[in-house]
Amino acid sequence: GGAPGGGDPAPPTPSTALKRRLLGAAGWAVISIDAAAWSGLDSAGAEAVLLGELRRVGVCVGKEADR
């Protein structure tokens, strides 16, 4: 989640922080997308945000993954 007014994101809850640590320790790249921003997107916008975040953490997607 994010802070009201578009400020810095709120810190994760303890259970979310634990999940992120466990996934990271297992080798997964964990991304966070602000829930308020996500809920306002149509499917094309959501796909664009998700693909952008995946690329940001080094995941090859789409035609990049076919190489």
Side-chain angles (χ1 to χ4, degrees):
D8 291 331
T13 63
S15 63
T16 297
L18 174 61
K19 292 171 195 174
R20 289 179 183 175
R21 281 194 305 274
L22 292 172
L23 288 167
W28 289 90
V30 179
I31 61 172
S32 297
I33 300 174
D34 181 81
W38 182 260
S39 67
L41 298 172
D42 61 11
S43 61
E47 181 178 10
V49 168
L50 181 57
L51 293 176
E53 287 298 306
L54 290 171
R55 287 184 181 107
R56 185 181 64 76
V57 298
V59 175
C60 293
V61 294
K63 292 180 180 169
E64 300 165 9
D66 293 337
R67 293 182 207 165

